[in-house]
Every structure is written in structure tokens, then in C-alpha cells.
Amino acid sequence: MTSASAAIPQPGRTKAFLRLVMIEHSVFALPFAYIAALTAMFQWDKNIHWGRLLLVTVCMVGLRTFAMAVNRIIDREIDARNPRTAQRELVTGAMSVKHAWTGALIALAVFLGAAALLNPLCLALAPIAVIPMVVYPYGKRFTNFPQAILGLAQAMGPVGGWLAITGSWSWDAVLLGLAVGIWIGGFDLIYACQDVETDREIGVMSVPARFGIPAAIWGARVCHTLTTALFVWYALATGAGAFFWLGLLIVAGAFLYEHSIVRPHDLSRVNRAFFSVNGFIGIALFVCALLDLVVRGLTV
């Protein structure tokens, strides 16, 4: 009994673990998995299957929690040498590596269990989805383009959301997944600009560290232009209606705003661009996509 209870994180440890994995940032990826899943339901029988939608949520949160925990564990020594990240839980001792691994493995088990409940294809592909989550934190040690690995990891969300409903492959979901992956890779380029000097000093590889902040900002602009184009392609491929197109106009406006407040020589508003604007983009497009599907006949 003693060893079993010790393996269960206590309330203080649980709170520290949730801070460690920044659970609230699930808002970036979840809306797009929902868009894919709901579109698949619309094309299937025009009914929302709440049980499957719940399992999609569990899968997404479980895998993202595992990925963030592993990221923090692998990067803890780098984080300790960076003033911006030196207060993270594994650096300060608020969370031990042992308990971080416990939380990560529980999250992984939850993800695999939910995938198994969805359909055989989801379970078969689930281990593949885990690979880029583990490779990404090592990326900054061997490539100047770790954001590409992050983008690949994030692209799996919409694809998985669609597979969860239909149990079959969809190129429409791939379009949405690519849009999401390139979007998140793009704003991570902006976020990485904060650490250029430290990254160069300690040998962390990234686009800003290798090519400079102006190049990274321009790279992010190109990424978000491609993201917008892929959203348009997805809308055309799925026969989206007026509300979805309205959502795309809102997203395009948010991208323009994001890039107007972040300049190569003024990174003071990076956090607003990263957290506020990008969180808004996901929620706004999801709301518009849901309205569009309901107007077109999706039964809630």
C-alpha cells in the first residue's frame, strides 16, 4: 500500500505537474482536432457522436501532456542555463524528475487507452504519433530547424481527430494538419527569438540562433501565409460554407495583427502574440467552423 500510494502524485505535486506541462495551452491544438472530427461526423451521418468526441479530447490532452512532460525532462539542464526558463519546476525542484516521469507515463497510458477505445487504426497508429513528441526536444541539439519537428508533431492532431471518427485515412484532414503544423512551427519561430543570445552561448540550435532574428520573423510570416493558403484549400476541399470563410477572414486578420506587433528589433510583445493571439486564432476558427457545420445540417 505504501509504495502504491507513493506512486500517486499528491495534490501539491499534481498542481506542480499541471504547471510543468502548461495544461492550459491545450487550447492551441484541441480546436483543430475538433474541427476535423466534427467535419468527419458531418460527412458521415451529420450527427455529433459525443462519446467519440470525448475520446478525441482525452487522446489529445493525454498525448500533449506526455509530450510537454518529456520535453521538460529532456531539456531541464538547458532550462537551468537560460534565465527565461530557470524558474521551471524541474529546475527549481518544485517537481522531481521521478514524479515528472510518473505523470508523463500516466498521460501516455491514458492516450493509448483512449486510442484503443476509438478504433483499431487509431491504436495501430498511436505509437507513431508518440515518436515526434520524443524526438522534438532533442531536435535543438542536431538541427537548426527544430520547429519543423514540432510542426510535424502538431500536424497529427487533426489527422488523428478525423481517424477517430471514420477509422480511415483522409487527405482533407492532412491539409488541415499541415496548416496547423506550419502555423505552430511559425509562431514557435517568433517565440524562439527571445532566446537567441542564450542559445548561441550554450549551443542550442534554432533558426533565430543560426540565421538571426529578422530571418526568423520573415520565416514566420512565410509560414503563416502558407497556413492561410492551406486553410483555404481545406475549405474548398470540404465544401465549407459562409461561416467557415468568415473564420478564415478573422484568422487572416489575427495573423496580420500578430506580425504587426512583433518586429525584429522589438520583441516586447512576443508573449501577447504567442499566447493571446494564437489562442484566439484556434478558438475563433473552431467557433466559426462549428456554426458553419450546424447551419449546413450537423445535428448537435
Side-chain angles (χ1 to χ4, degrees):
M1 284 292 292
T2 303
S3 60
S5 61
I8 301 174
Q10 301 303 310
R13 291 170 182 166
T14 300
K15 187 175 180 180
F17 181 76
L18 293 178
R19 287 199 308 267
L20 177 80
V21 300
M22 303 174 78
I23 194 70
E24 67 277 10
H25 289 184
S26 298
V27 72
F28 293 143
L30 265 176
F32 296 96
Y34 287 154
I35 291 172
L38 291 170
T39 304
M41 291 177 191
F42 175 79
Q43 294 186 3
W44 185 17
D45 63 1
K46 295 191 176 180
N47 288 307
I48 294 182
H49 298 264
W50 293 103
R52 293 194 184 198
L53 203 59
L54 175 61
L55 288 173
V56 168
T57 305
V58 173
C59 277
M60 289 293 296
V61 174
L63 183 57
R64 186 201 165 277
T65 300
F66 167 77
M68 282 294 295
V70 170
N71 191 342
R72 293 290 189 258
I73 292 167
I74 293 170
D75 277 354
R76 64 190 185 278
E77 293 181 3
I78 290 176
D79 287 344
R81 300 172 65 185
N82 185 335
R84 185 179 63 81
T85 57
Q87 294 305 309
R88 286 179 175 169
E89 288 72 17
L90 288 175
V91 179
T92 63
M95 166 68 59
S96 70
V97 173
K98 175 184 176 182
H99 287 107
W101 271 119
T102 299
L105 294 175
I106 290 172
L108 179 61
V110 167
F111 164 65
L112 294 174
L117 291 173
L118 281 165
N119 57 62
L121 184 58
C122 283
L123 179 59
L125 295 178
I128 296 175
V130 173
I131 294 172
M133 309 301 175
V134 177
V135 173
Y136 168 63
Y138 289 107
K140 62 180 69 72
R141 294 162 170 84
F142 64 81
T143 177
N144 291 312
F145 304 97
Q147 286 79 19
I149 305 173
L150 176 63
L152 175 62
Q154 297 295 332
M156 294 185 180
V159 176
W162 198 293
L163 289 173
I165 307 307
T166 66
S168 59
W169 187 258
S170 167
W171 289 108
D172 292 345
V174 172
L175 287 174
L176 185 58
L178 286 173
V180 172
I182 294 172
W183 165 54
I184 291 180
F187 75 66
D188 197 59
L189 283 175
I190 297 173
Y191 197 66
C193 289
Q194 300 176 101
D195 299 324
V196 168
E197 296 305 322
T198 302
D199 286 350
R200 287 172 176 168
E201 181 181 336
I202 65 179
V204 170
M205 303 172 74
S206 71
V207 170
R210 173 63 179 83
F211 301 103
I213 292 176
I217 298 295
W218 275 106
R221 291 171 181 169
V222 170
C223 284
H224 292 159
T225 300
L226 288 172
T227 296
T228 305
L230 285 164
F231 280 148
V232 169
W233 191 355
Y234 173 80
L236 293 171
T238 56
F243 277 108
F244 191 89
W245 288 103
L246 173 62
L248 292 190
L249 286 176
I250 293 171
V251 168
F255 279 147
L256 290 173
Y257 173 71
E258 179 176 12
H259 288 282
S260 73
I261 65 173
V262 177
R263 305 281 183 175
H265 302 294
D266 181 11
L267 300 176
S268 61
R269 291 177 286 186
V270 164
N271 282 336
R272 184 193 301 180
F274 185 80
F275 299 112
S276 302
V277 178
N278 288 298
F280 169 78
I281 285 172
I283 293 171
L285 191 58
F286 167 69
V287 170
C288 289
L290 178 60
L291 284 172
D292 184 61
L293 291 169
V294 170
V295 167
R296 291 163 58 202
L298 181 68
T299 301
V300 178

